[in-house]
Amino acid sequence: MNLFVNTNFNFMGARKIAFGASIVLIVVGLISILGHRGLKLGVDFSGGVLLQVRSEQKIPTQEMRRVLGGMGLADAEIQQFGDEGEAIIRVRQERASPTLAADIVEALNAHDPQNRTELRRQELVGPKVGAELRTTATIAVIVALIGMLIYIWIRFEFMFGLGGVAALAHDVVITLGLLSLTNREITLQIVAALLTIVGYSINDTIVVYDRIRENRKKMYGKSLVDIVNRSVNETLSRTINTSLTTLLVLIALYFLGGEVIRDFAFALMIGIIVGTYSSVYIATPLVVDWQLAQDARRRSRLKAAATRA
């Protein structure tokens, strides 16, 4: 089903408004991150203990928090798994101890002896390992962006590479900002989601770039604005169909996939929406503005040379 066939939208005419909207989103995200004194790092990066426990009957979160509070763990994070009595408890490194898991299970069983609780999983991440993971994750995202720049530069032109990488950085920053606004943790799963977003977004951008390259030959003599508008309209149906079908899968994962992958699915949903938007309103408009600025400088030099003559 093609929802957008033979369209003739003037995308480039609204690029200044789109740039303004992107700047607002980025600034709001950065304010949120600074307001939280940085991103909310999960146990993966900050160090600590992750416990998965299962009770015969579900223990309400507030009740479980009171039990943990009695152990001096009031700041522990609790995530319930629906009605199945399973929960994930995250405890910061400074609160961890060798007997922490046994102590928590014992406290929960003592609180309600008729509702037995057992430990299903325990993961320990030291602060040094967390710092190393933080560095490795940051390097992975930067290397991915540099690799994309080189690839697009070789396949197209340098200005296309810059436009594509700027759009990817835009997608990552906005996604991180929205994760901060919704108070979600940055975990290894989120890093995997960010790298997936980078791959998805650049794929969409390259489809548009390819069509621009084809149309520059077919529409010789036309302005770059007209060529880009035609190219985006010609690929719009494919872009929307791909994004919508991917989004439907992610929505299903978000609501039905369980608590463990909910943040991962949320990050991908944001990334798919922002990535689709940026391939139309960030990557290609930057190429247009770059080219227009170069043309203006060229005309200025020619005019100055003619005046001197």
Side-chain angles (χ1 to χ4, degrees), residues 34 104 108 143 274 287:
L34 293 175
I104 289 177
L108 291 172
V143 168
V274 176
V287 172

Side-chain angles (χ1 to χ4, degrees), residues 254-274:
Y254 180 81
F255 288 105
L256 305 175
E259 192 69 33
V260 174
I261 62 170
R262 185 157 294 163
D263 286 353
F264 175 76
F266 178 81
L268 281 179
M269 284 194 293
I270 298 299
I272 295 300
I273 295 170
V274 176

Side-chain angles (χ1 to χ4, degrees), residues 46-60:
S46 62
V49 179
L50 183 149
L51 306 174
Q52 182 176 343
V53 297
R54 178 180 173 83
S55 304
E56 294 173 351
Q57 297 176 0
K58 181 180 178 180
I59 304 175

Side-chain angles (χ1 to χ4, degrees), residues 67-82:
V67 175
L68 295 179
M71 301 173 61
L73 301 174
D75 59 347
E77 297 173 17
I78 302 170
Q79 284 183 309
Q80 298 277 0
F81 282 67

Side-chain angles (χ1 to χ4, degrees), residues 26 145 164-174 198:
I26 290 171
L145 293 177
V165 170
L168 295 181
H170 163 277
D171 300 345
V172 170
V173 172
I174 288 182
V198 167

